Amino acid sequence: MAKAPIFSVVVPLFNESESLPEFIARTTAVMDALGEPWELIMVDDGSRDNTAEILLEHAAKTENIRPILFARNFGHQIAVTAGMDYARGTAIILIDADLQDPPEVIPQLIEKWHEGFEVVYAVRRQRDGESFFKKFTASAFYRLINRITDIEIPLDTGDFRLMDRKVVDVLNRMREHHRFLRGMSAWVGFRQIGVPYDRAARFAGETNYTLGRMVKLALTAITGFSFFPLQVSTYFGFVSAAVALLAIPVVIVTRLMGSQAFTGQATALIAVLFFGGVQLISLGIVGEYIGRLYDEVRGRPLYILRNNPDEPVKKAK
Ligand code: UDP
Ligand code: MG
């Protein structure tokens, strides 16, 4: 391998065979123009199409490309984590392969890095080709996170960002299984700044972030950075206990005055069902934290590889 790279571009891939050649071409053009040594770390996250084969073909031709092949699909956040583990650059750039994040923006991120910022995140000015529902849920999600967690995640940012080696070294030491990288990279501090850009539509294929996956990521973000859901059940417990205490004298007095209010099974049934529901939800919230705790305690590896990223890729097979 040539000189140690200054820039590492880390890209997660899941069924991106259609975008891949175009992505590599555009990124190579942008990075070569910078005139510094760079590497392209591409993580195949257990794609079900021929992404891995296409990736290996390209890697055999270009020594800048270092492929990392997962044994199965581990998810976007884990794929990016693996890429950061193997990145050797002084600045690490995270970018998606679907060309929604234009590689042409990278030089602007690098400019800010040269000015001394350690985290330069790209802020979406507009989003082409995404549904109203996706935009709405995304914006609601960021507002919720900033309200209930201790960290400040800039609005309308994704994982598209540049991070200094110092930051990546810290992130690489955070081995939590349920990862929310945007939150983690806000949590570490350092000097951070945003660069606005226009998010394009996907080059090909469809989003892999279905509603289910988005909810999962949102839960990871919330449980990973706050105890708010647990505190909600505490507050709720206090409020309903207070209401019950106040209701006792009210019921006694109205009963002594001969009123028929609050007799009958319906009232009792509704109260039992309501608090049964609240208790089960609280139990579920506690369970959510315990499940995550269990995942951490088992200490399984974050990902499993089926190749050795440090070995150069052989030419023809
Ligand atoms: N991705 C991945 N593993 C997954 C899902 C997605 O590595 O399980 C990659 C995908 O190939 C893309 C990036 O993560 O490079 C972002 O995914 P996607 O475009 O589906 O998400 P969106 O941009 O819609 O949020
Ligand atoms: Mg995308």
Side-chain angles (χ1 to χ4, degrees), residues 16 96 98 100 130 199 202 207:
E16 299 285 7
D96 286 351
D98 56 11
Q100 279 193 288
E130 283 181 307
R199 189 159 162 94
R202 248 179 174 278
T207 175

Side-chain angles (χ1 to χ4, degrees), residues 40 50 52-53 81 83 129 143 191 213 311 316:
L40 185 56
N50 56 349
E53 286 71 40
T81 302
R143 278 164 187 89
R191 294 218 292 150
R213 282 194 179 210
E311 250 171 34

